[in-house]
């Protein structure tokens, strides 16, 4: 099992790569058969290719991401995330709670993002 | 599917009953075959009887619970919880992130609490 320190490190790296990395950099944090459901209740993106494609869409905007209050439990982490996306003259802020699971090497095996329109502001 | 308002209402009621309700009152919020894993990574409590027994142990301390930042997504909610437990001259504060799923009537079908010793203080 990944250690709590390993898990916290990957969560920090995830926020950093959302801010400054490519879709491929972000997808590299996941296992080959990982699953991303963002937001929870929408069709999941299964496997590295689908996940990279998902982040390629997300990363079309200029993103800044910060994580808060990481809780580690077993092979899992839950944390708040603030993502500010600038696209054109619009600034969209989304505040999900993300839940991730990890394999023994600290690769992300799943990510589920809990949020809705209620957790989003557009300016 | 339960509405976001229904889900928010049940989350608020859960915090209220942790503070002022009995183990049976809390277990009443769950379906008969619900599953509670608290903290995530420990053996789950399956079914209403096991869940009531779990809360009976938890409620031996004098609890005050407050929920924060509820995110609703599909049939699920994720939120921060601050639980202050007074037992004898000790005050234990735990700050999990809880994730719940709900059935169409707004009953809780599962609860998973993400926390470890790192999210706990003892005074």
């Amino acid at each position: 099992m990944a250690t709590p320190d390993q898990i916290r490190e990957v969560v920090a790296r995830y926020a950093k790569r959302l801010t400054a990395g490519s879709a491929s950099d972000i997808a590299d944090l996941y296992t080959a058969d990982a699953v991303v459901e963002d937001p929870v209740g929408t069709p999941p993106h299964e496997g590295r290719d689908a996940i990279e494609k998902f982040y390629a869409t997300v990363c079309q905007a200029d993103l800044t991401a910060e994580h808060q209050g990481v809780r580690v439990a077993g092979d899992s982490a839950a944390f708040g995330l603030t993502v500010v996306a600038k696209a054109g003259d619009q600034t969209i802020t989304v505040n999900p709670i993300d839940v991730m699971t990890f394999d023994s090497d600290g690769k992300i095996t799943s990510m589920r993002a809990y949020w809705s329109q209620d957790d989003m502001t557009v300016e």
Side-chain angles (χ1 to χ4, degrees), chain A:
Chain A
M1 197 157 75
T3 66
D5 282 352
Q6 255 181 309
I7 288 176
R8 286 174 192 280
E9 172 63 32
V10 175
V11 170
R13 206 172 298 157
Y14 176 69
K16 207 173 278 181
R17 292 190 185 182
L18 274 178
T19 302
S22 67
S24 170
D25 292 336
I26 301 167
D28 279 348
L29 298 173
Y30 287 89
T31 57
D33 58 352
V35 179
V36 167
E37 191 178 338
D38 184 356
V40 166
T42 59
H45 309 281
E46 301 185 9
R48 199 197 176 284
D49 288 355
I51 289 173
E52 180 170 337
K53 209 171 285 180
F54 166 68
Y55 284 108
T57 306
V58 171
C59 291
Q60 284 174 350
D62 176 22
L63 300 184
T64 313
E66 273 179 31
H67 61 295
Q68 306 103 21
V70 181
R71 276 79 149 186
V72 176
D75 65 355
S76 303
F79 54 96
L81 196 69
T82 303
V83 183
V84 181
K86 295 195 182 188
D89 54 1
Q90 273 201 330
T91 302
I92 300 165
T93 305
V94 186
N95 280 295
I97 286 177
D98 282 9
V99 174
M100 290 177 168
T101 55
F102 300 84
D103 74 1
S104 55
D105 297 322
K107 287 255 186 189
I108 307 166
T109 51
S110 70
M111 191 279 275
R112 309 188 83 214
Y114 294 83
W115 64 279
S116 70
Q117 303 275 1
D118 294 337
D119 309 301
M120 189 165 98
T121 59
V122 182
E123 281 169 72

